[in-house]
Amino acid sequence: MASTTSAAPGVGARVRVQQFGTFLSNMVMPNIGAFIAWGLITAMFIEVGWLPRYLGIGDSPDSWVAKFGGWGDFAGGGIVGPMIIFLLPLLIGYTGGRMGYGDNSTRGGVVGAIATMGVIVGTDIPMFMGAMIMGPLGGWSMRKVDSLWDGKIKPGFEMLVNNFAAGIWGMILTILGFVVMSPVVTWIADRLGEGVDILVDNSLLPFTSIIIEPAKVLFLNNALNHGVLTPLGTTEAAESGKSVLFLLEANPAAGAGLLLAYMMFGKGLAKASAPGALLIHFVGGIHEIYFPYVLMKPKLILAMIAGGFTQILVNVLFNSGLRAPAAPGSILAVYAQTPGDSVLGVTLSVLAGAAATFAVAAILLKMDKTEEADDELVGATAHMESLKGKSSSVSSVLTGGAAVMTRPIQRIVFACDAGMGSSAMGASVLRKKIEAAGYSDVTVVNQAIGNLTDEYDVIVCHQDLADRAAQRTPSATLVAVDNFMASPRYDEIVTMVGASRA
C-alpha cells in the first residue's frame, strides 16, 4: 500500500500554496449560484438592464421593475444592492465559519456570519475580503472557546451554555469586525483597487497573464478566480456595472486555442482526445481539462500566456467586462453575464485569444520532434512520484506491472481541487467503466481534496495533486492520472477491482 518515505524538498511550499488557495476558493465556490443569481437580476432589472432597455418592460421609475432593481438607490433600494452588500458576504462568512470550526459545523457558520456582519456595516463597499477573514476566524475561535468547557457542563445546561456562548462571542467578534477589522480591510481593498486602476490606466493589465496562466495549470485557478478576482471584480461591477477582472481567468479563449492546436498538430492520444476536451472546456467550462496538455509539454505555457495576454488586451481596448462571475468558465456562462455594450469586445477577445494561443502552440508542436510512445507513461509516473515525494503504491500498475490489494475494493473517490468540475467528469467516466465490468457494488464518488477522509480504498486524482491527496488518505491506494477524460488508468483501475476479488 502507501509508502511512508518523506516528501521531496520543495514540495511542501507548493502544496501549502495550493491548500491556501483552495481554502479561499472553498468559501466562494459553494455560493457561486448566489453570485450568478445576483448577476442575472442585475442584468435584467437595473435601469440599463434587459427588461427596461431592450424589451421596454417597466421603463418608468415608478414601475415594479424599477422598485425591484432599486434604480437610483443602489445600496438601499430594490434587491440588487442588498444582495451584494449583505447576502453574498454573509453567505461567504457562513461558509467560512463552517470551515473554520471544522466538521462542516453549522455552529461555526452562524458565528462566522455574525462576525461578518460587523465588517459589513463598518464599510460602504461589498465586504467579500472581510467575510473571508471574519468568517473562518469566527468559526475557528468559537471552536477554541467551546473547548474551554468541553465536558465540564452539568447535565441539563448544555443548550443554555452553548447558545449564550455563541451569542456573546458572536457579539464580541461583531464589535471587533466593526471597530478594528473594517478599517483595515477597507484600506487593503482601496489599495488593491488602486493597483488594478494603475494596471488598467497604464495598459498593463494584460501582463497579469504572465502570472495567471502558469498558476492555472498548477491548479491555482480556483484560488485566483474566486479568492482574488471575484471579490475585486464584484466591487468594481457594483460601481460601474461591469468588470474586466471577471474575464482574466474565466475566459476560455486560450485553452480553446491550445486544444485546437493539439487537434491539428498533436500526436497520439493527446491529438485523439483533444476534440472531446475542447467541448468540455469551451462549453462545459471545466478548464482543468486542458492542464495536462500543458504539463505534458511545459513550453506550451508560452502559448497560454500569449493567448491570455491577447484576450485581456482586447477587452481592455474595448472596455469590455462582465456583470458577475462566469462560473463555470463556459462560453455560455460568459455571454450570460455580458452586458450589451461588451458583446463585441468579449467576442473579439475570445477569437483573438484563441488565435494567439493556436498560432504559438502550432509552431511549438510542429517544432517538437519527440514521438508519442508508450514510454511517456513511465515518464508521467516518474513525474507524479517526484511531485508526491515518494513511490506510489500503484506505480507498478502505471508502468505495466500489477498492484496487489489486500482487501476487495469497495469505495473509490475521484478528487480535484474544488470537487466539482474535473473530478465529477472523471468519476462519471470511471463509474460507467466499473458498472460495465459488472462491479455494481463499487461506489465511485467525487470530492474536493480538502474534504477527503481516510475511508476509501482507491483515490484517483491528477498527478500534480497527488501529494495533497496522499496526505488526506494515507491508507488508500493512490492512482495519479494525467488526462481526466481518456486516461488508460481507468481501465487499469477496473482490472485492480477484479484482482482484489480474486
Side-chain angles (χ1 to χ4, degrees):
M1 302 297 286
S3 172
T4 57
T5 55
S6 59
V11 170
R14 175 179 57 83
V15 170
R16 284 193 292 272
V17 171
Q18 286 183 340
Q19 289 174 333
F20 177 70
T22 299
F23 184 80
L24 293 179
S25 66
N26 282 349
M27 281 187 273
V28 179
M29 287 292 288
N31 301 305
I32 280 295
F35 278 86
I36 293 174
W38 173 79
L40 293 175
I41 290 172
T42 303
M44 293 177 65
F45 293 102
I46 62 174
E47 191 168 0
V48 293
W50 298 338
L51 293 184
R53 183 172 182 178
Y54 299 112
L55 300 179
I57 301 175
D59 54 0
S60 167
D62 296 325
S63 68
W64 72 271
V65 172
K67 294 177 180 178
F68 190 78
W71 296 8
D73 188 10
F74 186 83
I79 194 173
V80 176
M83 282 187 73
I84 191 173
I85 296 296
F86 298 106
L87 176 63
L88 298 182
L90 286 173
L91 285 173
I92 292 174
Y94 178 84
T95 306
R98 295 184 65 167
M99 294 166 54
Y101 193 95
D103 302 324
N104 223 11
S105 168
T106 301
R107 179 175 177 80
V110 170
V111 176
I114 297 171
T116 300
M117 196 65 190
V119 292
I120 290 176
V121 299
T123 61
D124 56 0
I125 60 174
M127 194 37 64
F128 298 105
M129 189 179 303
M132 290 181 175
I133 297 173
M134 295 305 296
L137 176 63
W140 174 81
S141 60
M142 189 70 249
R143 186 182 185 93
K144 294 299 182 181
V145 170
D146 286 343
S147 67
L148 296 176
W149 47 72
D150 185 30
K152 302 176 183 178
I153 305 173
K154 292 183 178 181
F157 290 89
E158 293 88 352
M159 182 177 293
L160 179 67
V161 173
N162 288 336
N163 286 342
F164 269 88
I168 294 171
W169 188 242
M171 178 192 69
I172 294 172
L173 290 176
T174 302
I175 296 172
L176 176 68
F178 182 86
V179 176
V180 178
M181 191 59 66
S182 60
V184 174
V185 177
T186 300
W187 184 87
I188 295 174
D190 289 343
R191 301 294 80 76
L192 290 174
E194 291 172 0
V196 172
D197 290 339
I198 291 173
L199 293 175
V200 173
D201 294 341
N202 293 278
S203 301
L204 297 176
L205 196 62
F207 289 95
T208 59
S209 61
I210 298 174
I211 298 174
I212 291 174
E213 297 303 329
K216 285 179 68 175
V217 298
L218 293 176
F219 292 87
L220 294 174
N221 54 315
N222 287 322
L224 278 172
N225 197 25
H226 303 305
V228 180
L229 298 176
T230 292
L232 292 176
T234 305
T235 301
E236 184 178 348
E239 298 173 352
S240 60
K242 62 184 178 181
S243 174
V244 70
L245 300 181
F246 293 136
L247 287 164
L248 300 193
E249 189 276 339
N251 194 324
L258 175 77
L259 295 170
L260 283 170
Y262 263 103
M263 287 171 57
M264 298 188 64
F265 304 106
K267 303 171 185 177
L269 180 61
K271 180 175 183 176
S273 60
L278 176 61
L279 180 65
I280 292 170
H281 164 74
F282 197 66
V283 181
I286 302 175
H287 289 199
E288 291 93 338
I289 194 72
Y290 78 76
F291 297 172
Y293 294 84
V294 180
L295 295 171
M296 189 189 315
K297 300 182 186 296
K299 60 187 176 183
L300 289 175
I301 195 63
L302 297 175
M304 301 305 300
I305 292 174
F309 182 96
T310 303
Q311 69 93 356
I312 296 172
L313 177 62
V314 171
N315 281 315
V316 170
L317 292 176
F318 282 83
N319 192 29
S320 307
L322 303 185
R323 290 191 175 98
S330 161
I331 191 63
L332 302 179
V334 168
Y335 277 117
Q337 300 294 0
T338 302
D341 61 355
S342 293
V343 171
L344 176 61
V346 170
T347 301
L348 292 177
S349 77
V350 173
L351 296 175
T357 299
F358 177 84
V360 177
I363 294 172
L364 294 175
L365 289 173
K366 289 288 287 183
M367 293 173 59
D368 187 10
K369 302 302 180 182
T370 60
E371 296 292 334
E372 293 285 338
D374 291 340
D375 60 2
E376 280 198 358
L377 178 57
V378 179
T381 304
H383 178 54
M384 175 268 291
E385 290 180 347
S386 70
L387 291 172
K388 279 190 65 177
K390 56 187 179 183
S391 297
S392 169
S393 60
V394 292
S395 291
S396 58
V397 174
L398 302 184
T399 55
V404 179
M405 294 292 297
T406 59
R407 64 182 186 275
I409 295 175
Q410 297 287 345
R411 304 191 66 189
I412 301 175
V413 60
F414 203 115
C416 73
D417 190 47
M420 296 182 183
S422 56
S423 62
M425 179 181 62
S428 177
V429 174
L430 182 58
R431 189 181 300 113
K432 290 179 181 178
K433 287 181 176 291
I434 288 180
E435 290 176 353
Y439 305 117
S440 58
D441 60 325
V442 176
T443 60
V444 182
V445 299
N446 56 284
Q447 201 169 54
I449 285 183
N451 295 332
L452 286 174
T453 54
D454 195 18
E455 58 180 313
Y456 298 98
D457 301 311
V458 176
I459 176 172
V460 189
C461 68
H462 188 272
Q463 57 193 22
D464 277 6
L465 301 175
D467 191 69
R468 291 170 60 195
Q471 292 177 356
R472 307 289 299 191
T473 56
S475 65
T477 297
L478 175 64
V479 178
V481 301
D482 59 3
N483 187 306
F484 296 112
M485 185 176 61
S487 174
R489 306 291 75 74
Y490 297 159
D491 291 327
E492 291 161 1
I493 293 172
V494 175
T495 303
M496 288 173 57
V497 173
S500 72
R501 301 177 178 214

